[in-house]
Structure formats: structure tokens, C-alpha cells
Amino acid sequence: MTLEELKVVELNLIQVDDASNYCYVQFVPTIPQCSMATLIGLAIKVQLLRLLPARFKIDVRVVPGTHTSCDAINKQLSDKERITAALENIYLHEVINDCLLYSEAQTLPKFVEEILRETDKLENPKVRYIQYSRQHIESYRRWRDIIYGDEKKWKSSLVYHI
């Protein structure tokens, strides 16, 4: 089951302020003694780090009173050094990716597949990652970056593709 299906993450517990470059997410562990709460919080934080522009400050916390170790978990999730160390741990990194990636590749949008094939970029490792990720498969920004490389090339070719 997904975190949404388990009611661990809900839209009303997410706040994004683009003007202030701030993202605040609260989550509810499955049970008050959930041994996976820290891992769930870390996976949420990693997914947001991957999706949001680097300018965002990301704050992930357990909803107060929903876990017996709420304060300790929130402290761990707020500690930049602990997060960095966790992400450098190869085993933990694989566990997080298992939480965030599909087991099978998702279908590419037809127009993207055609362009990738024409430009010999269909085998690009970034393409495989996006196919397996739980990110939006039709993320035009990600496809643009893979296909065209930089913004200048993308802007000059925008008229052609529209």
C-alpha cells in the first residue's frame, strides 16, 4: 500500500510556500509505536529533495502526539548532518529507493519516447530513473533537461514543438 492509502500523508498536512521557498510536511505513522516512522520521514524528505528546486527548505515532521517518540524522530529529521550521513549510507540509500521506486518501468509518453529515440538518448540512465520513479512520468522539465540539455537550447526549440 502507498503512504496515501495508509493515511500517513494527506494533502491537508502539506504546506508549500513558493514565495518563501519553504515546504512543510507532516505525516502520521501507521501506529504510535511504528518502527518505520523515521524511515518514512526520511523517504518523504528525500523525495521532496529530488522533486523540489534546491532553493526550498524542506521540513518533514511527525504530527505531534501520533507517535511515542515524536520529539526524537522530529529532531532526527531536522538534523542536516544526520540526513546527510543517512544518504551516504549505501544500504539505507537502497532502502529509500525501494520505498520510492516502482518495481517495473512505467510507460513513457509517446512524444517523449519518439524524441529520445531520434536523439539517441533513450538509453540515458536518467530516463531509466524517471521510468521507475514515483514522480510524474510526464514531467516536462525533466524530459526537457534530458532531451535538450540546457535552457537556451530548450527555449530556442520550444516554438518548433508547440
Side-chain angles (χ1 to χ4, degrees):
M1 294 181 74
T2 67
L3 294 178
E4 295 88 359
E5 291 168 337
L6 293 170
K7 303 284 188 209
V8 171
V9 179
E10 294 182 357
L11 195 55
N12 64 329
L13 298 175
I14 301 169
Q15 299 171 5
V16 179
D17 186 348
D18 194 25
S20 298
N21 302 318
Y22 185 71
C23 177
Y24 180 68
V25 176
Q26 290 184 302
F27 68 98
V28 179
T30 53
I31 59 172
Q33 303 84 11
C34 180
S35 62
M36 301 291 285
T38 305
L39 180 62
I40 290 169
L42 185 59
I44 292 168
K45 190 158 193 154
V46 167
Q47 183 70 343
L48 292 170
L49 287 168
R50 290 176 179 174
L51 288 173
L52 293 175
R55 63 185 166 85
F56 274 84
K57 179 188 182 319
I58 299 166
D59 196 4
V60 177
R61 297 184 172 272
V62 175
V63 172
T66 60
H67 194 279
T68 55
S69 302
C70 182
D71 293 336
I73 294 169
N74 288 340
K75 185 175 180 180
Q76 288 177 338
L77 293 173
S78 296
D79 188 335
K80 289 180 184 178
E81 290 177 9
R82 286 185 103 157
I83 298 293
T84 302
L87 296 179
E88 289 175 355
N89 180 317
I90 294 170
Y91 170 74
L92 192 53
H93 196 82
E94 288 177 11
V95 171
I96 291 168
N97 277 338
D98 285 345
C99 293
L100 299 176
L101 299 179
Y102 287 114
S103 57
E104 296 178 15
Q106 305 302 296
T107 306
L108 294 172
K110 198 159 197 65
F111 79 97
V112 170
E113 186 175 355
E114 289 172 8
I115 293 171
L116 291 172
R117 188 172 284 111
E118 288 171 10
T119 58
D120 291 325
K121 294 183 180 176
L122 196 56
E123 300 303 317
N124 185 314
K126 291 180 182 178
V127 172
R128 281 189 59 83
Y129 175 77
I130 292 172
Q131 282 185 279
Y132 284 87
S133 75
R134 293 184 185 269
Q135 300 166 15
H136 295 287
I137 196 71
E138 294 182 8
S139 173
Y140 296 106
R141 179 179 56 84
R142 292 181 188 287
W143 293 125
R144 177 202 69 207
D145 291 347
I146 292 170
I147 294 168
Y148 302 111
D150 64 28
E151 193 172 328
K152 288 180 185 174
K153 288 181 186 176
W154 176 74
K155 283 184 178 177
S156 66
S157 64
L158 185 61
V159 175
Y160 173 75
H161 289 288
I162 292 178

